[in-house]
Amino acid sequence: MAMESNSQKKSFCVLGDGYGVVMVPKELDLEKPHHSFNLIRFQLPDLTKPIKEFLRNREVGEFVSGALAGAMTKAILAPLETIRTRMVVGVGSRNISGSFIEVIEQQGWQGLWAGNTINMVRIIPTQAIEFGTFEYVKRAMTSAQEKWNQNDGPRLQIGHVNLKFSLSWISPVAVAGAAAGVVSTLACHPLEVLKDRLTVSPEAYPSIAIAVSKIYKDGGIGALYAGISPTLIGMLPYSTCYYFMYETLKKSYCFAKKKKTLSRADMLLVGALSGFTASTISFPLEVARKRLMVGALQGKCPPHMAAALSEVVREEGLKGLYRGWGASCLKVMPSSGITWMFYEAWKDLLLVERRYL
């Protein structure tokens, strides 16, 4: 007689309800799950190191540093920008204190930050492109000069006259400053137009969307580039002088004080002086530029920069070319100083392992 071993015996459980009973092996007990499922865990890759390495790239670090410096500066100095714009275009009071009081009475304290949203949107790409272009072109020009000098440069023989071409008379800083101003202006000029419209006429342009719609309806795409010619013409002397003065004062100060780098306070002072000098030299062109950009609001838009300048002289005399200069310096000097201070600080932070001058 065949006997079943204990290992072959099967135990049963009873399943039933009011209609019947059935016996099934315990291995198939439906009331207890006999399969165990492992949870699927997703782990995001650690991007900290790649991001740090990306930001420490020279060009990226300078680009980001410029954007952050511009944003922080504009957030602090927005009220001065509002007063400066109103005085330059001839809206409201003709003195700084009167403009402050007028804005507060008409629009409240928030009126001092009129157009600041578009100003922030404008300044981030503008400063990023400007500083990034400046640093890149300066390095490229310096490298080109070094290679040119090493190869002794090209020569031109005309009879007994031997002409040698040289790039040593060209300042890489000046060329880089001019390039920075032109490139950033071409890229971000429509945002400047929007900012001025929102600042000068917040009633007519209560939001960015409405401002874009009205400007486009009135003049198409060309209206967003109103005043681009005088802007470029005015930007060339300003940007060239601005960067040239900063680099020159920085090197001279370090040489005089026998320092390798400037302190934050020194950067604030040197940046303020460079902004003051550049603004003073190019201010009449700034007046003409602002007149062209917002002239349509007053129903009398000059056809070109020369007409705008002559209009100012005819109505207000030569001193009209510097109307708002005090407010401009009040804004430009701290803005320039703070921007350079923040820029150098962010660059030191982002390029901590690689220091570039």
Side-chain angles (χ1 to χ4, degrees):
M1 181 176 178
M3 299 290 295
E4 291 184 355
S5 64
N6 290 334
S7 62
Q8 292 176 327
K9 290 182 179 179
K10 295 182 179 181
S11 57
F12 295 87
C13 65
V14 178
L15 298 176
D17 55 18
Y19 298 96
V21 176
V22 64
M23 296 180 67
V24 298
K26 275 193 174 182
E27 289 84 347
L28 299 179
D29 187 355
L30 301 179
E31 293 182 356
K32 297 180 181 179
H34 77 285
H35 291 293
S36 60
F37 296 94
N38 294 325
L39 294 177
I40 300 176
R41 296 180 181 179
F42 294 96
Q43 186 175 1
L44 295 175
D46 185 6
L47 300 177
T48 304
K49 187 175 180 180
I51 291 175
K52 285 183 178 180
E53 291 299 322
F54 178 73
L55 292 176
R56 284 173 183 166
N57 177 273
R58 180 166 51 188
E59 286 76 17
V60 174
E62 290 162 353
F63 189 89
V64 174
S65 297
L68 293 173
M72 295 171 74
T73 302
K74 289 302 178 186
I76 295 171
L77 300 176
L80 294 178
E81 173 71 14
T82 298
I83 298 303
R84 171 180 173 271
T85 301
R86 290 173 63 89
M87 293 190 69
V88 168
V89 301
V91 175
S93 177
R94 294 184 176 229
N95 59 75
I96 297 172
S97 60
S99 291
F100 267 107
I101 295 172
E102 191 174 70
V103 171
I104 293 172
E105 288 179 348
Q106 294 176 358
Q107 305 172 38
W109 286 100
Q110 63 271 23
L112 294 173
W113 275 265
N116 191 51
T117 300
I118 187 62
N119 206 14
M120 294 291 286
V121 172
R122 176 189 69 88
I123 202 62
I124 290 174
T126 299
Q127 290 293 85
I129 294 171
E130 191 170 319
F131 276 109
T133 302
F134 170 73
E135 298 283 9
Y136 180 81
V137 174
K138 182 179 72 170
R139 282 193 299 272
M141 280 295 300
T142 302
S143 177
Q145 282 185 338
E146 292 175 353
K147 292 180 179 179
W148 191 288
N149 293 332
Q150 288 175 0
N151 297 329
D152 202 26
R155 295 174 180 271
L156 179 63
Q157 186 76 31
I158 303 178
H160 297 288
V161 179
N162 187 12
L163 299 177
K164 177 184 177 181
F165 294 95
S166 174
L167 291 179
S168 59
W169 60 273
I170 300 177
S171 170
V173 174
V175 174
V182 170
V183 173
S184 63
T185 298
L186 291 174
C188 304
H189 186 76
L191 297 175
E192 176 75 10
V193 174
L194 285 173
K195 187 268 296 182
D196 283 344
R197 296 290 180 97
L198 290 168
T199 300
V200 175
S201 298
E203 303 86 6
Y205 303 96
S207 68
I208 296 175
I210 293 176
V212 172
S213 177
K214 283 188 175 182
I215 293 173
Y216 181 79
K217 184 178 179 180
D218 293 340
I221 297 294
L224 292 172
Y225 279 88
I228 185 63
S229 296
T231 298
L232 289 173
I233 295 173
M235 181 57 69
L236 278 173
Y238 174 82
S239 184
T240 303
C241 180
Y242 177 63
Y243 285 98
F244 181 80
M245 284 297 298
Y246 178 78
E247 291 287 327
T248 303
L249 289 173
K250 176 177 154 183
K251 291 181 179 179
S252 299
Y253 188 84
C254 288
F255 179 79
K257 296 293 183 179
K258 296 180 179 179
K259 294 181 176 181
K260 291 184 178 180
T261 58
L262 297 177
S263 66
R264 300 301 176 215
D266 294 336
M267 291 175 189
L268 189 66
L269 177 61
V270 171
L273 289 175
S274 62
F276 170 79
T277 304
S279 178
T280 301
I281 291 173
S282 62
F283 195 77
L285 297 176
E286 173 74 0
V287 172
R289 181 174 74 92
K290 294 291 185 182
R291 284 292 182 101
L292 287 172
M293 289 175 66
V294 300
L297 298 177
Q298 301 172 348
K300 51 175 185 176
C301 184
H304 47 74
M305 185 177 64
L309 289 171
S310 62
E311 180 182 282
V312 173
V313 173
R314 185 174 61 254
E315 294 177 357
E316 305 179 41
L318 290 176
K319 66 178 182 180
L321 296 176
Y322 279 88
R323 183 187 178 193
W325 175 78
S328 180
C329 290
L330 186 63
K331 176 258 178 184
V332 168
M333 290 182 68
S335 175
S336 178
I338 293 172
T339 298
W340 276 111
M341 183 180 67
F342 281 142
Y343 174 70
E344 298 283 7
W346 277 110
K347 194 166 69 167
D348 286 344
L349 180 64
L350 295 176
L351 304 178
V352 65
E353 293 180 358
R354 300 172 67 184
R355 301 297 177 93
Y356 299 96
L357 296 177

